[in-house]
Amino acid sequence: ITFEHTQWHRPPDNAAAWSQAANGAPAAIDFVGARACAIEDCTIQHVGAYGISIGDGCNGIRIVGNEIVDLGAGGVKINGADARGPVERRTGNNRVTDNHIHHGGEVSHSAIGVLSMHSFGNTISHNHIHDFYYTGISCGWVWGYTESVSKNNLIEKNHIHSLGKAWLSDMGGIYTLGVQPGTVLRGNLIHDVEMAVYGGWAIYPDEGSSHILIENNIGYNTSSQSFHQHYGRENMVRNNIWAFGR
């Protein structure tokens, strides 16, 4: 099935742009309170915002083997209730695997290939993500050490490249936020991340990123260091190859 040709949307209050990750932008396909649904081997293209949103109270959603291309914002957005919200509206245990997600951020430039905000137990793997103006995969949505729903997420064996394009700053091939016990970044290949002013990294644990295992990744051809840790604690970074960081 092909889903295509949706309208783009203005940010609220006539703002110039959506905030980080274009997280408020809507999606062409929107799951809410869904269980055990799947989009497999489909095409989502020529859409004005995100391709797919896995929203509040979703569990066991599978996004597998799709081409998601020519996007006003990003590819897949996962988000549910935060740590202060109702438990029944929390979102987790979803799979985003084997997708080709590319040429996004064409309207909302800060959008992301796969954005996991307040969500747990997800597998994001074997995706080919490229040609965005900001980050490839983002995981977590709490700045600092306060309680977070985001934990036990597996991000592995993704090929991520051609990001930034010297348009935006402060980005990574993979970007994390907050305390995330059980989250693993493993076996990812990330290259060609080009900043505008600062911060073009391959893997970027940002504010408060903690208790994360980062292993067996390759990052090269980045406009800053291949790896950059903002403040965080008890992370394990081992057996990675970082090369040709400017």
Side-chain angles (χ1 to χ4, degrees), residues 1-7 9 25-34 37-56 58 61-64 66-69 71 73-79 96 99 115:
I1 300 174
T2 296
F3 303 88
E4 60 184 351
H5 299 298
T6 66
Q7 181 60 284
H9 299 265
I29 301 170
D30 196 5
F31 290 101
V32 178
C37 297
I39 298 177
E40 297 189 13
D41 300 323
C42 293
T43 298
I44 297 97
Q45 63 185 4
H46 317 314
V47 298
Y50 270 86
I52 300 169
S53 171
I54 302 172
D56 281 10
C58 288
I61 306 299
R62 291 168 44 85
I63 310 298
V64 179
N66 304 285
E67 181 163 21
I68 307 174
V69 57
L71 310 163
V76 179
K77 176 171 61 171
I78 309 170
N79 191 34
V96 181
N99 301 286
L115 170 62

Side-chain angles (χ1 to χ4, degrees), residues 59-108:
N59 196 289
I61 306 299
R62 291 168 44 85
I63 310 298
V64 179
N66 304 285
E67 181 163 21
I68 307 174
V69 57
D70 191 24
L71 310 163
V76 179
K77 176 171 61 171
I78 309 170
N79 191 34
D82 64 15
R84 296 170 295 178
V87 172
E88 64 271 15
R89 297 191 72 87
R90 292 186 181 176
T91 294
N93 303 315
N94 305 292
R95 297 182 64 84
V96 181
T97 65
D98 301 282
N99 301 286
H100 188 192
I101 304 171
H102 60 108
H103 291 91
E106 300 295 348
V107 176
S108 303

Side-chain angles (χ1 to χ4, degrees), residues 170-193:
D170 196 30
M171 75 197 73
I174 299 175
Y175 173 94
T176 64
L177 278 168
V179 179
Q180 302 193 42
T183 288
V184 176
L185 316 182
R186 176 188 294 140
N188 299 284
L189 173 62
I190 303 168
H191 59 94
D192 295 289
V193 181

Side-chain angles (χ1 to χ4, degrees), residues 189-212:
L189 173 62
I190 303 168
H191 59 94
D192 295 289
V193 181
E194 184 68 25
M195 65 182 180
V197 179
Y198 74 97
W201 299 295
I203 292 182
Y204 178 15
D206 199 5
E207 298 187 31
S209 292
S210 301
H211 305 287
I212 299 172

Side-chain angles (χ1 to χ4, degrees), residues 21 58 67 79 90 95 140 142 156 163 168 182 222 233 241:
C58 288
E67 181 163 21
N79 191 34
R90 292 186 181 176
R95 297 182 64 84
V142 171
E156 71 171 352
L163 303 178
L168 297 178
T222 56
R233 57 188 295 173
I241 297 173

